[in-house]
Amino acid sequence: MGITVNFKFNKPSYKSKEVILNPEEKWEMIEGTHEAIISPELWHRVQEVQEAVTKSISETRTPTIKVENRTPLEGYVVCADCGEPMLNHRARSYPRKNRKGELTGGIIKPLDIFTCKTYVNSLKQHNPECARHAVHAQALTELVLESLRGLANDAMSNESKFLSRLKSSNIRREQGESVQNLRKQVQKMRKRHAELDDLIQGAYEANFKGMLTDERLATLTAKYEAEQEQLENELPVLETQLKEWENSLSDGKAFLKLVRRYADFSELTPEIVETFLEKIVVHDRIGDRKHYTQDIEIYFNFIGKVEVMGGES
């Protein structure tokens, strides 16, 4: 309308970030400060319509009711793309009504899903980021329970085989070689590192006795030192992988001890989630709205990732 409004807001203090709306009698309205975009009549008419619509909606629509006793998985579900925690949205079922507020006989289904936090927050800024990654909490609950039951059955039926399979799967994921070959490779590299020390010392002794020229000494020592430096870079990596594999034996035993305490996985309780679950990584859906697949990665304490390939709906 071509009006500038001053003193519409104020702050309690210049240090405060809180903004308070002043009553309209304190506003200073200066007319004609710029060219009007719409007429005053149209402006006031739009405000009347907005108020009527808001009042109608508030009187006829049943508000969403938040549900207590949230899923124990909250805080453990992570987006696979952005790595942010996923938000849990829940609401009870309630009767469906038409615009007049009359019951239609239909039912609004209850809501209990996880969605990407980055995606939800970006929608508020009207700048969508990441993707929704929506997944039903009940589906995640069933996947976790199914995985726990399967692991418990494998562990209790044959403990030694379970530990052996756990170790071999861990080493395959990280090294791609058998444990025996990895041990042999580490031992061979340690032995070669010691041999290079002897070769460098022998070269200096030969040079001191006049059996080796200075130019030849420089060439040999540079070659030996380069090979030794390469071994010093590679050895810690392989030794760490070997140590992790060996530690998986104690980790597997710790997992077995927990399984014996919770023999019955009929219900996913907060205690079970806190004891066994590390995190759940949710990938985005592939397919249309009604028919899609979605990959879920479940990581358990002590034993790491358990393969749970795409659920389908």
Side-chain angles (χ1 to χ4, degrees), residues 217-235:
L217 173 66
T219 302
L220 287 176
T221 54
K223 178 182 177 182
Y224 295 152
E225 288 173 354
E227 184 180 355
Q228 202 169 42
E229 182 179 0
Q230 183 179 358
L231 290 174
E232 290 172 353
N233 292 332
E234 294 177 356
L235 258 175

Side-chain angles (χ1 to χ4, degrees), residues 31-66:
E31 299 184 3
T33 56
H34 58 84
E35 184 179 354
I37 299 175
I38 60 173
S39 64
E41 295 78 15
L42 179 58
W43 168 266
H44 293 301
R45 178 56 184 157
V46 169
Q47 306 314 306
E48 293 174 1
V49 172
Q50 273 192 328
E51 290 181 7
V53 170
T54 303
K55 183 178 180 181
S56 174
I57 291 176
S58 63
E59 292 176 350
T60 59
R61 188 177 65 184
T62 303
T64 300
I65 304 173
K66 295 298 180 181

Side-chain angles (χ1 to χ4, degrees), residues 79 81 115-120 129-134 284:
C79 173
D81 292 335
T115 52
C116 175
K117 179 180 179 180
T118 300
Y119 174 79
V120 172
E129 297 179 10
C130 200
R132 191 162 177 250
H133 291 75
D284 200 12

Side-chain angles (χ1 to χ4, degrees), residues 94 113 134 165 185 201 248 262 292:
Y94 56 89
I113 61 173
R165 183 166 60 87
Q185 185 179 0
Q201 182 178 355
S248 67
Y262 301 90
Y292 63 87

Side-chain angles (χ1 to χ4, degrees), residues 140-271:
L140 290 182
T141 300
E142 292 174 358
L143 283 175
V144 172
L145 284 174
E146 182 181 347
S147 299
L148 280 172
R149 293 189 193 110
L151 287 171
N153 289 335
D154 291 345
M156 300 299 288
S157 61
N158 192 329
E159 294 185 5
S160 59
K161 184 177 180 181
F162 173 78
L163 293 174
S164 176
R165 183 166 60 87
L166 176 62
K167 291 188 296 184
S168 62
S169 63
N170 287 341
I171 201 65
R172 278 199 303 271
R173 282 200 299 267
E174 299 191 12
Q175 177 64 20
E177 296 180 352
S178 68
V179 179
Q180 291 77 10
N181 289 339
L182 180 59
R183 281 202 181 109
K184 289 179 181 179
Q185 185 179 0
V186 170
Q187 292 173 358
K188 183 178 179 181
M189 293 173 70
R190 288 173 180 168
K191 183 179 179 181
R192 179 57 180 171
H193 189 278
E195 288 176 352
L196 289 170
D197 282 334
D198 294 339
L199 289 173
I200 293 173
Q201 182 178 355
Y204 277 105
E205 291 176 354
N207 176 259
F208 179 76
K209 295 178 180 179
M211 300 170 59
L212 194 68
T213 63
D214 293 342
E215 294 77 9
R216 185 59 178 165
L217 173 66
T219 302
L220 287 176
T221 54
K223 178 182 177 182
Y224 295 152
E225 288 173 354
E227 184 180 355
Q228 202 169 42
E229 182 179 0
Q230 183 179 358
L231 290 174
E232 290 172 353
N233 292 332
E234 294 177 356
L235 258 175
V237 177
L238 297 181
E239 288 173 344
T240 299
Q241 292 174 352
L242 185 60
K243 184 178 180 180
E244 289 178 355
W245 179 87
E246 291 170 345
N247 288 341
S248 67
L249 177 62
S250 59
D251 290 342
K253 289 182 178 179
F255 183 82
L256 285 172
K257 186 177 180 180
L258 291 174
V259 167
R260 295 189 191 100
R261 286 176 53 194
Y262 301 90
D264 181 18
F265 292 105
S266 59
E267 181 183 2
L268 193 64
T269 63
E271 184 180 7

Side-chain angles (χ1 to χ4, degrees), residues 62 91-98 102-111:
T62 303
R92 290 197 183 109
S93 174
Y94 56 89
R96 188 185 297 273
K97 296 181 180 180
N98 58 22
E102 300 169 342
L103 295 174
T104 63
I107 297 293
I108 300 295
K109 294 182 179 180
L111 182 70

